[in-house]
Amino acid sequence: MAGYDYDLFVIGGGSGGVRAARVAAALGKRVGIAEEYRYGGTCVIRGCVPKKLYVYASQFPEHFADAAGYGWTVPEASFDWQTLVANKDREISRLEAIYKRNVEGAGGEAFHSRAMIIDPHVVHLLGEDRAVTADQILIATGGRPAAHPALPGHEHCIFSNEAFDLKKLPKAIMIEGGGYIAVEFANIFHGLGVDTTLVYRGKEILSRFDMDLRRMLHETMEKKGIKILCHSVSEWIRKRPDGRLDALVTGGKVLTVDQVMLAIGRIPNTENMGLEGIGLEMTKTGAIAVDQYSRTNIDNIWAIGDVTNRVQLTPVAIHEAMCFIETAFKGNPTAPDHETIATAVFSQPEIGTVGLSEDDAVKRFPDIEIYRATFRPMRHTLSGRDEKMLMKLVVDGASKRVLGAHILGPDAGEMAQLLGIPLKAGLTKDDFDRTMAVHPTAAEELVTMYKPTYHVKNGQRV
């Protein structure tokens, strides 16, 4: 390795890339990392961090309304979009500086430059117009929102990246898509007072989540005033003389809005990096193909995170980075564990889920027990808010192992994180039943559902 400039060169300064660079540098390795935009990547700069801040902002109207039931008189509130954007920018800049400082503090060298691989051991830094050599190269360039070039008028649309920095808050928005990004932004904009319509081609929002969660969230969102059009797509977008947009959707309905946001999936960032030139193997979706240890078909080149299109979640990229360090630099080959990953959708109410949905469990196990409860959260009893909470456990009838846990309601994401531990450990429903409840909490329902709501045997509910 002494013949190279670096023991490791990382391309991409997001959560996965920065973690790998920082830890490798702390081990005494000579590390370089290049990021062409801003350190922190999708999650910190234009993803989950600013999204969660906007979720908080959008929840205040309901908090103000609910306060009356608890004896508070809240004066008429007003909202300033520019203040939210400016405060968000300040926090993101703070985090960006920390990410870069952590790498440099560990002894790594950080570059602000686009990087191309021109040889399995050579990286060209375009911003500095020079080449560096590395023994090992890690690609962690993430992904970006999928475009829709076939849509007439697509040039008038925005994506999640732009939604955080609009010059002014729209009065009306149409969001196309039914995944977590589309659903979260629909709730954000609605909570900020925007007339919001969600357009989704599927039969129900949030595919791959448990159907009970999907249906109940759909119903709750519509009760709040969000319009949801399933089995629908936009057929064209046209700009009006007044600057607003007309969107023709399935069935001939034309929506007139201020913004159209496309949230129809994400694609890996692999273009114009020289990957084809060095013979790096790609998947049909344009992602980098890797083995179980995140190694590409070229021995010294690795890839982690969204650019591999395995599981597109920030904690997964970080986990893959740590496994890469174990494999590449510690002589301890470690494959990332992509099973039983807890996740959340920060809708309103939010979703927390881990493990198998009922539909997936039924396909894999002949006897399934379903424990299900819906109730009004205690916080809504005095406020009078007509909003229910859902708790659901999916259990293997033979072994009693809890296969899935699904929650819709306040703090669902926090509960899912903790539920990830017993489900990862393979604990049984008996273990849940032996656990003492914390009262009064919503989470106590998870350990007090003693009798199955129903069974599913060989695909049939009984």
Side-chain angles (χ1 to χ4, degrees):
M1 292 191 289
Y4 298 108
D5 298 323
Y6 299 98
D7 300 321
L8 170 66
F9 198 93
V10 180
I11 303 176
S15 297
V18 166
R19 175 62 64 91
R22 179 174 63 80
V23 176
L27 291 174
K29 304 300 179 182
R30 294 167 299 156
V31 176
I33 181 172
E35 167 58 49
E36 68 173 336
Y37 181 49
R38 299 178 68 180
Y39 279 87
T42 295
C43 180
V44 172
I45 306 300
R46 53 193 177 273
C48 38
V49 171
K51 179 271 303 290
K52 190 69 178 291
L53 296 176
Y54 282 26
V55 167
Y56 288 142
S58 66
Q59 290 173 337
F60 280 99
E62 289 190 355
H63 295 335
F64 296 149
D66 291 348
Y70 288 89
W72 289 93
T73 299
V74 179
E76 184 177 356
S78 62
F79 172 70
D80 184 73
W81 170 254
Q82 280 74 26
T83 298
L84 173 62
V85 174
N87 289 342
K88 176 268 299 181
D89 287 343
R90 189 178 303 110
E91 173 62 9
I92 296 310
S93 294
R94 184 186 73 85
L95 293 174
E96 177 189 9
I98 291 173
Y99 267 64
K100 186 170 181 288
R101 187 166 63 246
N102 283 347
V103 172
E104 295 174 333
E109 190 173 2
F111 299 92
H112 278 286
S113 173
R114 183 170 182 81
M116 292 184 63
I117 303 176
I118 58 178
D119 178 89
H121 289 282
V122 181
V123 176
H124 183 226
L125 300 174
L126 278 70
E128 303 197 1
D129 194 24
R130 69 183 179 99
V132 298
T133 60
D135 178 50
Q136 304 292 318
I137 296 174
L138 176 65
I139 303 172
T141 48
R144 66 184 186 276
H148 193 353
L151 174 65
H154 66 89
E155 66 274 13
H156 303 307
C157 301
I158 63 169
F159 299 93
S160 57
N161 291 357
E162 294 80 21
F164 292 114
D165 299 295
L166 295 173
K167 291 183 179 179
K168 63 179 181 178
L169 188 66
K171 293 181 179 179
I173 191 169
M174 186 193 96
I175 300 175
E176 181 155 4
Y180 74 95
I181 294 175
V183 168
E184 288 175 338
F185 271 100
N187 282 274
I188 288 170
F189 280 113
H190 170 75
L192 296 178
V194 179
D195 183 359
T196 303
T197 303
L198 188 66
V199 174
Y200 180 47
R201 65 181 178 179
K203 67 178 181 179
E204 187 55 276
I205 59 174
L206 293 177
S207 63
R208 296 190 297 276
F209 284 80
D210 188 87
M211 185 57 79
D212 279 345
L213 296 180
R214 298 165 68 188
R215 288 174 179 154
M216 192 164 169
L217 178 61
H218 182 147
E219 293 170 2
T220 305
M221 287 172 63
E222 287 194 321
K223 284 181 180 179
K224 290 175 183 287
I226 300 171
K227 296 177 283 292
I228 302 177
L229 306 177
C230 290
H231 298 292
S232 298
V233 296
S234 56
E235 298 182 5
W236 51 250
I237 310 295
R238 294 175 184 168
K239 196 162 190 174
R240 295 158 52 102
D242 62 3
R244 304 190 79 201
L245 301 174
D246 285 337
L248 175 66
V249 298
T250 301
K253 185 176 183 178
V254 176
L255 304 177
T256 300
V257 295
D258 300 292
Q259 295 285 356
V260 173
M261 175 178 158
L262 300 181
I264 53 176
R266 294 179 63 82
I267 57 176
N269 287 324
T270 53
E271 295 88 351
N272 303 316
M273 291 178 56
L275 305 185
E276 297 85 355
I278 62 171
L280 200 72
E281 183 180 345
M282 315 287 281
T283 70
K284 293 180 180 179
T285 62
I288 295 176
V290 293
D291 67 9
Q292 62 178 326
Y293 299 106
S294 300
R295 191 192 299 267
T296 71
N297 63 306
I298 300 176
D299 282 348
N300 71 298
I301 299 181
W302 315 68
I304 59 171
D306 289 4
V307 76
T308 66
N309 198 28
R310 288 177 286 182
V311 180
Q312 296 183 9
L313 293 170
T314 296
V316 173
I318 294 171
H319 172 67
E320 290 170 356
M322 297 304 293
C323 292
F324 158 74
I325 293 293
E326 291 290 326
T327 303
F329 295 116
K330 291 189 175 181
N332 179 32
T334 304
D337 181 0
H338 294 116
E339 294 296 319
T340 317
I341 297 172
T343 190
V345 180
F346 293 105
S347 49
Q348 297 173 41
E350 68 185 53
I351 282 174
T353 184
V354 57
L356 297 180
S357 67
E358 178 180 339
D359 289 342
D360 287 340
V362 165
K363 294 174 184 175
R364 294 172 55 175
F365 296 87
D367 182 9
I368 293 295
E369 296 177 351
I370 300 297
Y371 296 78
R372 187 181 187 278
T374 59
F375 54 94
R376 178 186 285 187
M378 189 175 184
R379 69 173 62 181
H380 294 335
T381 56
L382 296 189
S383 71
R385 181 168 297 280
D386 182 21
E387 196 169 294
K388 296 293 182 65
M389 190 163 189
L390 168 67
M391 299 277 195
K392 182 175 181 179
L393 296 177
V394 180
V395 178
D396 174 22
S399 68
K400 302 301 180 183
R401 183 163 65 94
V402 181
L403 304 173
H406 311 285
I407 304 166
L408 175 72
D411 303 316
E414 302 289 345
M415 294 185 216
Q417 176 64 85
L418 297 177
L419 283 166
I421 300 171
L423 264 71
K424 177 67 83 173
L427 298 188
T428 67
K429 184 61 170 60
D430 291 338
D431 295 315
F432 276 58
D433 292 345
R434 285 199 303 271
T435 301
M436 200 69 70
V438 178
H439 181 75
T441 65
E444 69 181 292
E445 201 73 25
L446 294 164
V447 297
T448 57
M449 294 187 289
Y450 298 118
K451 293 184 179 180
T453 307
Y454 57 88
H455 291 256
V456 182
K457 294 188 177 182
N458 298 316
Q460 300 296 317
R461 184 183 292 196
V462 294

